[in-house]
Amino acid sequence: CAIPSFTCSKPVKFSVPIPFRHAVMNLIFYFDQPILPHAGGTERAAYLLAQALSRHGHRVSFLSLRQADVPPGELPYFTLPRQDTLFCRENREYVENLCSAQKTDGLINCGANQDDSFFFSHEHLDIQASIISWISFDVRTGLDYFSCLLRKDFSTWGNTMKTLLRHALLPCKKHVAVSNKRRKYRDMFRGSDKVVFLSPRYTEDALQLAGPPERARLYAIPNLLTYDPVQPDLSGKENAVLYVGRMADSPKKVDRLLNVWKKVQPLHPDWHLYLVGDGPERGNLERMAARLKLENVHFEGVKEPAPYYRKARILCLTSTHEGMPMVINEALSYGCFPVVFNSFHAAEDMLPNRETGRLIPPFSLRLFARELDELMSGPYVPPCTKVLTNYHPEKVIPLWMECLQDQP
C-alpha cells in the first residue's frame, strides 16, 4: 500500500543510536498539565519526544502549570509558582529566570494550540531562548463542522428555547471564532521563532488562515510512535471493538459510537465494545448506554491500553476534530483495524488507503455502521502498517533536530 511522507517544511526504545551530528542543546518542554507517559495524547507525545532527545545527549527539562502528583524521575521537572493562572508577573519572572539559569536554547510550548501561545511569546517574555510553538491539534479545530459543537438539549421547554437561540447565533459565533483564531496565529507567527505542525496539511491551513509569518519558520513533524509495531497474534484476537481516549462531549463525541453500536450489536451478539478512558461525559455515556439497552458495552476507566489493542480487532474514533490521534498508530502497531470519521485534515496521512483503515464521511452514523458491520462479519485481516514508518524515531528525530538547530 502506498504511504505519504513527511518533510521538514512497550514505549519506543532505541536499540541502536540514530546517526546524525548535533550540538548538545538545553531544552524545556512546557504544557499546562503534567507531562507524563500515560497521560493524554499531547502529554504522551511530549514525553516521548523529550525522552528521545535526552537519549541523544540533549539536556531536557519539563515545566508545567499544574503540579504532577508523581513527576517522572528521569528528567528535571519544574512547576510554575502560581497554578491558578498562567498570565501573571510571578510566572513570567519564573520562566525568564529559569531559562537564564538553565542557559536554555529552546523552549517548546506544547500547549500552543491554547491561549498559552500568548504567554510563551517574545512579545511577553524577555528570554534569549528560541520559542518553539508546537501545535498538536488540527488548525481548523472549532471552525470546521461548527454546528456539531453546539450543545443540544431538548429535555425541557426552556432548554429547547436556549438550544434554538444558540443555533440562531451560530453564524455570528463562527465569524467571531474565525477572527479570534486568525489573530491567535498571527500573534503566534510574530512571537515565536518556530511553529511546528503535525502535518503539511495543517501548515497550509495556517497559512491560508493567517497569511505568511512575520517572524516564525514553519515545520511539519509528526508524533513519534508510542509502541514498537508487533506481529499480531491471530489466536489472541477477540471479537472486540475498542475506543481509547477521553470521554468529552465536544471533541470526542463518544455518544456517536454508542449510537453506531445500537445499530450493529444485534447483528453480532458475540461481539463486545470496550471503552478505555475517563472524562466529564462518562456518567452521561453510561446512562445513555443503559437507556438504549446496549449489550456487551464495557466502561473500563483509565487503563494501560496495550492489552486492549492486543485483543481487539477494530478501533473506532468518532471525534468531531483531532490533530494526529496517537491511538490510530497505537492500534495499527497491534494489528487493530481503525475505523475513523474523516473529520481532521491529517486523517488521510494516517490512513491513506482502505487496507490501512477506513475513513468515514463525517458524520454519517449509517455509513460508519455499514463499514463496522462489514469488518465484524468477515475474517480478521490485519491492517497494512507501512504508514508507521513515517513515525519511527529514525524519521522523526532528524526532523526535530533540523528544526531546533535551524537559525532564524
Side-chain angles (χ1 to χ4, degrees):
C1 51
I3 59 173
S5 62
F6 289 82
T7 58
C8 194
S9 297
K10 67 186 170 197
V12 174
K13 297 181 180 179
F14 301 96
S15 56
V16 179
I18 301 171
F20 56 83
R21 296 181 179 180
H22 61 264
V24 174
M25 304 185 74
N26 295 318
L27 304 170
I28 295 177
F29 281 74
Y30 168 82
F31 193 56
D32 61 342
Q33 300 298 323
I35 300 174
L36 301 171
H38 301 298
T42 300
E43 296 95 310
R44 281 186 293 140
Y47 182 86
L48 288 170
L49 177 60
Q51 289 287 338
L53 293 173
S54 176
R55 289 190 181 99
H56 282 86
H58 300 290
R59 291 185 282 271
V60 180
S61 303
F62 293 128
L63 173 67
S64 66
L65 178 65
R66 306 296 186 313
Q67 179 79 43
D69 293 334
V70 183
E74 304 91 339
L75 300 174
Y77 204 106
F78 302 94
T79 305
L80 291 173
R82 279 194 59 182
Q83 300 180 24
D84 59 321
T85 178
L86 175 62
F87 294 86
C88 64
R89 179 178 55 82
E90 297 95 318
N91 288 345
R92 175 175 56 80
E93 291 178 352
Y94 183 90
V95 172
E96 291 172 348
N97 292 334
L98 179 63
C99 287
S100 176
Q102 299 275 97
K103 296 182 172 57
T104 302
D105 298 299
L107 197 164
I108 302 173
N109 174 21
C110 307
N113 50 285
Q114 306 175 92
D115 287 343
D116 297 4
S117 61
F118 295 112
F119 181 90
F120 290 97
S121 164
H122 283 296
E123 297 189 337
H124 184 76
L125 295 174
D126 182 14
I127 59 176
Q128 297 300 313
S130 291
I131 295 178
I132 301 102
S133 294
W134 188 7
I135 306 295
S136 56
F137 281 80
D138 188 333
V139 169
R140 295 192 59 81
T141 291
L143 303 183
D144 293 338
Y145 316 113
F146 195 77
S147 62
C148 293
L149 304 176
L150 173 68
R151 187 171 184 85
K152 303 176 182 67
D153 184 353
F154 300 101
S155 59
T156 66
W157 183 86
N159 288 337
T160 299
M161 294 304 296
K162 291 177 182 178
T163 298
L164 294 175
L165 178 60
R166 285 194 291 265
H167 191 273
L169 293 174
L170 275 181
C172 178
K173 289 190 173 185
K174 182 168 184 178
H175 175 77
V176 172
V178 171
S179 298
N180 288 342
K181 184 154 286 196
R182 180 178 292 114
R183 179 176 67 89
K184 171 185 171 59
Y185 275 90
R186 286 176 176 171
D187 287 349
M188 187 190 304
F189 287 173
R190 187 168 55 249
S192 306
D193 296 289
K194 298 152 187 181
V195 180
V196 178
F197 300 92
L198 293 175
S199 165
R201 300 172 192 263
Y202 294 152
T203 308
E204 295 170 6
D205 289 341
L207 289 172
Q208 290 178 4
L209 183 68
E214 294 184 26
R215 171 184 185 138
R217 296 189 178 190
L218 310 185
Y219 303 82
I221 308 176
N223 286 330
L224 284 164
L225 283 177
T226 309
Y227 304 107
D228 286 318
V230 300
Q231 187 67 32
D233 179 10
L234 302 186
S235 64
K237 287 295 183 182
E238 302 175 8
N239 289 344
V241 175
L242 178 63
Y243 168 81
V244 177
R246 275 180 58 78
M247 296 183 184
D249 177 64
S250 177
K252 297 298 185 181
K253 295 298 290 182
V254 185
D255 61 307
R256 291 179 181 140
L257 179 54
L258 295 183
N259 281 315
V260 167
W261 191 249
K262 176 70 173 177
K263 297 175 183 293
V264 300
Q265 198 278 329
L267 305 175
H268 305 277
D270 59 333
W271 279 71
H272 292 254
L273 172 62
Y274 294 90
L275 299 109
V276 178
D278 210 337
E281 283 297 301
R282 177 173 174 176
N284 290 335
L285 293 169
E286 289 177 330
R287 287 187 288 273
M288 178 180 177
R291 185 175 69 253
L292 294 177
K293 297 181 171 57
L294 299 182
E295 297 183 3
N296 299 345
V297 177
H298 311 278
F299 288 86
E300 299 292 291
V302 178
K303 299 282 184 65
E304 165 57 42
Y308 293 92
Y309 290 129
R310 192 174 289 113
K311 72 178 181 180
R313 286 174 51 177
I314 302 168
L315 172 85
C316 288
L317 199 60
T318 53
S319 305
T320 299
H321 50 76
E322 290 281 355
M324 183 169 278
M326 299 178 74
V327 295
I328 291 179
N329 287 340
E330 292 171 358
L332 288 173
S333 297
Y334 280 95
C336 186
F337 205 98
V339 182
V340 179
F341 274 133
N342 191 6
S343 59
F344 54 100
H345 288 186
E348 293 178 11
D349 293 336
M350 305 188 78
L351 301 174
N353 50 59
R354 288 178 62 82
E355 291 75 31
T356 306
R358 303 291 168 85
L359 290 177
I360 313 300
F363 294 97
S364 173
L365 301 186
R366 178 182 61 83
L367 293 178
F368 201 107
R370 188 174 72 184
E371 291 286 355
L372 191 57
D373 173 52
E374 178 184 316
L375 291 169
M376 295 167 71
S377 299
Y380 168 68
V381 178
C384 173
T385 59
K386 290 182 180 179
V387 73
L388 294 181
T389 59
N390 282 329
Y391 312 99
H392 286 172
E394 294 86 347
K395 289 280 189 75
V396 175
I397 299 303
L399 295 178
W400 268 104
M401 290 313 308
E402 182 179 345
C403 167
L404 293 171
Q405 296 181 339
D406 204 2
Q407 296 298 316

